[in-house]
Amino acid sequence: MINAVRLKIGKGIRESQLLEFPLTYRAQIVIKIAAKIAQNAKHAEIDEHDLFLAILTEQESMPIRVLQALKLDIKALVATAEEYANNNTAVPELPFRIEFSLNYPPADRPVLSPYIRQILKRMFHGYIRVRIEFPLYGGHTSAKLFVVTPIAIDTRADATVVVKIDHADSIEDEAQRYQNYIQNSLPAMAAHLMDKPVPSDDGEYAGLKYTFIVGPDETPQNLKAVAHVWSPVELGVWVREQLYRIFGRTWWMQTRSYRFEAWREYDWLLPPILVLDYVEDNQVPPDAFMLRFPVRRGRLATIRAGDIVTVENFTIHKIDRQNRILTLTLGNGAHVEKAYRVRVRNVDFEKHTFYRGEVVEAISGRVWETRHDLLMGSVRELLPDFNVNEDYIPATIDRQRKVINPLKRYNEVLEWQINGMHSRTHGDMHLGNIMIGPGKSPVLIDFANSREGHTAFDWACLEISLLCEVVMPASGTEWDDARRVIEYLMQVNAGYMPTGDSPLIRALAPIIEIRAVMKDILTRGTGTTPNWTEYYVSLMMSALRAVTWDHSMSIPSRRLMLLVAGLSLHELRGAYGSFGTDTPSPDETMDANTNSQTSVSGS
């Protein structure tokens, strides 16, 4: 509500030129109405309830227009406000307790933060207590997910639900995306959003409530858990016959042609392009680097730590007041709302006012780290047994075959024009976000990144998750174990099924099935030979993102991800003129999908 009002009226100038703020004509009317309401209710002074009722009664103010735009029932609000304002006695508050189920491992029970307690109390208003049954794991964000049972004052338990708690902006995004892209496309047996976001007292955090669906044993399981119980063949068949068949009808099978610049779909997967330390306007030199749309990646490459950069006309995507950090993005349309992230540290929120969704005309900072610095730091954590500054890195155990170093070429790929396919997508389809419902039916959760976008991304994301959670553990922990996986993936990419009966070869079965799904998507309605370029672009960017998952991914899996990104670039070498040459041309304009591609069979 607050953000909606701010976006409607703007923020105004930073410094007032008036000695005091005069009330507007409409504000004076509202205060007069509030005074009459307070007098009738025998209040000594106007309180917030009187003021709220006055705003609702006046009917013409900006808050009313925003409430109407949000499709809220104004008459119902007036009735509720009148009833409360005319009641001189406080409404008694029920006691509220949060407890853990006996099934929740005592050693794993978290100390609940005050904001989590506030959100649970508001979310389950009218209940005497809630029981946290178990946590849900598997994501790569800061969100907390719990399975929760609310218990009424008569001690009867109501339906168990899934509660997700995260930063308010992320929760608001998820609720909006669910409404725009998901709610009318889910199968009947699916997790549905139940209510609007519930904020904490300070508005920094919020929670969502989803319906909870479990299998026949009443235990919630995601694909990450069952991946180590089911055989790889069973897992792969389930992905194709259950997940793809059931959700594909309204999602990935309904594709449309889609020509896009790769950065619009994939820039957000990578670290921020810059991390800045805030600098006041009066300390910015006249020759500071200006960052504005369109972003010139060639110029970005010249920026070094310590340089002063001024960011112009970017949108505030996140505000972290606790850590004094602003995150800005390009915000130039629905598909690029997270592109070109810039993180600004050490912002004085007491001195400067910002709000989410605001377009900032200019903000400056001293470069602390660049995207290249962040990526290089992530790779060095993996203790590489090769020179990370070389153009090619060894991809096989004998080191005779090499792939392109993705740290050297990802910027080129981001500039490509891709001829691909567009559909409704989940946006974060890893093993932890896929639940197993009754009859082994698939249930997707976490719609924070759901949208209309590049169809291939969901399946590239799932392949990355399977490679990290299933395939790499079957190989080992060292660099050569990752290269062993790459040797088999080279065969898969070439259209061959690796032969043998080793644990590693068996673990590749789900990957083969994902390629079968992608083959169906790429050829659906065309009857032509699939062009795998768009899938390799998505796989390369998804793998490079996973390299940076230092808190949620093992080092062996991250090693594999670097090689997978390089192998994907290797498969794309014929799709872009600069790849494979000693002097790449930055002005090359060939489309990514115009050249022939090594055939990849999904069968």
Side-chain angles (χ1 to χ4, degrees):
M1 174 63 185
I2 293 174
N3 283 339
V5 172
R6 286 170 171 167
L7 288 172
K8 187 78 172 175
I9 65 176
K11 187 173 62 173
I13 59 177
R14 288 192 175 185
E15 297 179 1
S16 172
Q17 298 176 351
L18 302 172
L19 296 177
E20 60 183 20
F21 291 98
L23 293 176
T24 65
Y25 173 71
R26 196 166 304 283
Q28 294 176 31
I29 292 176
V30 169
I31 290 177
K32 287 180 180 179
I33 295 173
K36 291 181 180 179
I37 293 172
Q39 182 179 6
N40 292 338
K42 298 181 181 180
H43 295 169
E45 296 180 352
I46 298 174
D47 61 21
E48 64 271 20
H49 305 104
D50 302 325
L51 193 58
F52 179 55
L53 185 57
I55 292 173
L56 295 176
T57 303
E58 193 271 338
Q59 290 286 313
E60 295 294 334
S61 65
M62 186 58 69
I64 289 294
R65 298 179 196 176
V66 171
L67 289 171
Q68 291 171 337
L70 294 174
K71 302 186 184 307
L72 295 180
D73 189 338
I74 304 299
K75 290 183 179 179
L77 283 174
V78 171
T80 302
E82 286 178 341
E83 180 181 356
Y84 192 91
N86 293 329
N87 186 0
N88 292 321
T89 61
V91 176
E93 187 173 353
L94 292 174
F96 186 80
R97 188 170 78 252
I98 301 172
E99 61 187 32
F100 290 94
S101 166
L102 295 177
N103 296 323
Y104 202 122
D108 296 338
R109 294 178 185 178
V111 177
L112 298 178
S113 303
Y115 71 86
I116 293 180
R117 292 182 173 274
Q118 292 166 5
I119 291 170
L120 289 174
K121 185 176 181 179
R122 287 183 172 181
M123 185 175 287
F124 297 100
H125 175 73
Y127 289 94
I128 195 168
R129 59 192 172 99
V130 296
R131 183 172 63 241
I132 300 179
E133 307 289 358
F134 8 71
L136 293 177
Y137 300 112
H140 305 291
T141 68
S142 61
K144 306 289 190 302
L145 283 93
F146 302 103
V147 177
V148 176
T149 300
I151 300 172
I153 193 169
D154 60 2
T155 71
R156 288 187 297 181
D158 279 354
T160 300
V161 298
V162 174
V163 171
K164 180 177 182 180
I165 299 175
D166 200 357
H167 292 282
D169 47 13
S170 298
I171 291 294
E172 289 169 6
D173 277 350
E174 181 167 349
Q176 189 65 47
R177 289 174 184 275
Y178 178 90
Q179 180 179 0
N180 291 343
Y181 306 115
I182 300 301
Q183 66 178 353
N184 296 323
S185 67
L186 290 175
M189 187 61 68
H192 292 266
L193 184 62
M194 298 177 66
D195 296 306
K196 295 180 182 295
V198 177
S200 60
D201 288 347
D202 59 7
E204 291 293 314
Y205 295 88
L208 286 174
K209 185 165 48 175
Y210 283 96
T211 55
F212 178 58
I213 299 174
V214 295
D217 60 354
E218 298 298 322
T219 302
Q221 288 185 311
N222 56 27
L223 209 56
K224 183 176 182 179
V226 304
H228 303 289
V229 177
W230 295 353
S231 72
V233 171
E234 184 181 7
L235 177 61
V237 171
W238 185 91
V239 166
R240 176 167 50 86
E241 294 298 327
Q242 293 285 332
L243 180 62
Y244 178 55
R245 182 178 59 83
I246 293 176
F247 278 89
R249 293 168 184 165
T250 53
W251 291 28
W252 312 292
M253 293 179 187
Q254 296 193 24
T255 58
R256 301 186 300 277
S257 296
Y258 182 35
R259 180 179 172 85
F260 62 95
E261 296 166 289
W263 68 267
R264 291 180 176 268
E265 290 287 332
Y266 293 109
D267 183 89
W268 70 277
L269 297 181
L270 302 179
I273 56 173
L274 293 172
V275 178
L276 308 176
D277 280 325
Y278 181 79
V279 171
E280 295 286 354
D281 294 345
N282 58 11
Q283 298 176 8
V284 178
D287 60 345
F289 183 94
M290 306 298 292
L291 179 63
R292 59 171 72 95
F293 184 79
V295 176
R296 305 298 183 189
R297 293 183 185 274
R299 292 194 64 200
L300 272 179
T302 66
I303 296 177
R304 297 291 182 268
D307 293 347
I308 301 292
V309 174
T310 297
V311 181
E312 290 189 342
N313 295 320
F314 272 48
T315 300
I316 295 178
H317 182 66
K318 287 186 179 181
I319 301 176
D320 184 351
R321 290 182 173 83
Q322 182 177 356
N323 296 305
R324 302 173 62 197
I325 295 174
L326 276 180
T327 300
L328 301 102
T329 60
L330 185 60
N332 187 27
H335 293 99
V336 295
E337 57 197 17
K338 294 183 180 179
Y340 294 120
R341 278 178 298 147
V342 175
R343 188 169 294 150
V344 185
R345 312 187 312 172
N346 301 318
V347 179
D348 188 348
F349 291 113
E350 297 295 329
K351 184 176 181 181
H352 302 287
T353 302
F354 298 99
Y355 59 88
R356 187 168 180 261
E358 171 191 5
V359 177
V360 179
E361 292 184 4
I363 187 169
S364 303
R366 189 179 303 277
V367 176
W368 175 254
E369 286 180 304
T370 66
R371 172 177 284 175
H372 181 75
D373 296 333
L374 293 166
L375 284 170
M376 193 65 74
S378 293
V379 172
R380 289 198 174 103
E381 290 176 0
L382 309 181
L383 303 177
D385 59 359
F386 53 86
N387 187 345
V388 296
N389 294 308
E390 295 289 337
D391 289 335
Y392 297 90
I393 56 180
T396 56
I397 294 176
D398 61 10
R399 295 177 174 255
Q400 295 302 305
R401 301 183 67 181
K402 296 185 178 183
V403 294
I404 299 168
N405 185 346
L407 300 182
K408 295 286 188 175
R409 300 290 188 138
Y410 70 88
N411 269 328
E412 293 179 46
V413 177
L414 288 171
E415 296 296 337
W416 287 6
Q417 293 280 344
I418 307 296
N419 292 325
M421 283 177 291
H422 184 269
S423 69
R424 185 180 285 109
T425 60
H426 179 273
D428 196 15
M429 205 169 72
H430 59 75
L431 299 181
N433 280 339
I434 305 172
M435 305 295 292
I436 311 300
K440 293 187 177 180
S441 61
V443 178
L444 292 177
I445 62 173
D446 192 348
F447 302 106
N449 292 304
S450 298
R451 59 193 176 89
E452 295 278 349
H454 188 205
T455 307
F457 175 58
D458 275 350
W459 295 95
C461 186
L462 184 54
E463 177 168 334
I464 291 300
S465 188
L466 285 164
L467 287 171
C468 292
E469 302 287 351
V470 177
V471 178
M472 188 60 197
S475 183
T477 61
E478 303 302 321
W479 276 102
D480 278 349
D481 296 315
R483 294 186 179 104
R484 185 174 295 107
V485 176
I486 293 298
E487 290 175 352
Y488 285 125
L489 287 179
M490 288 178 177
Q491 297 180 42
V492 173
N493 290 355
Y496 302 106
M497 177 64 189
T499 59
D501 193 36
S502 69
L504 176 54
I505 292 177
R506 290 196 297 272
L508 289 169
I511 306 301
I512 302 299
E513 294 292 355
I514 284 182
R515 299 301 179 91
V517 168
M518 272 311 303
K519 183 178 181 181
D520 183 68
I521 292 172
L522 292 171
T523 58
R524 178 164 290 273
T526 65
T528 60
T529 302
N531 186 324
W532 289 85
T533 300
E534 61 174 306
Y535 186 67
Y536 284 128
V537 168
S538 188
L539 197 64
M540 176 258 175
M541 290 297 173
S542 301
L544 195 55
R545 171 177 67 160
V547 171
T548 67
W549 284 341
D550 54 346
H551 297 300
S552 58
M553 189 67 68
S554 69
I555 285 181
S557 292
R558 291 167 61 198
R559 287 171 174 167
L560 175 61
M561 290 300 97
L562 183 69
L563 297 178
V564 168
L567 178 60
S568 300
L569 281 172
H570 175 80
E571 300 295 350
L572 291 166
R573 68 194 185 284
Y576 197 72
S578 66
F579 279 7
T581 65
D582 294 328
T583 55
S585 170
D587 299 322
E588 184 65 63
T589 58
M590 186 187 304
D591 287 349
N593 287 3
T594 56
N595 284 3
S596 62
Q597 179 73 28
T598 302
S599 175
V600 181
S601 171
S603 58

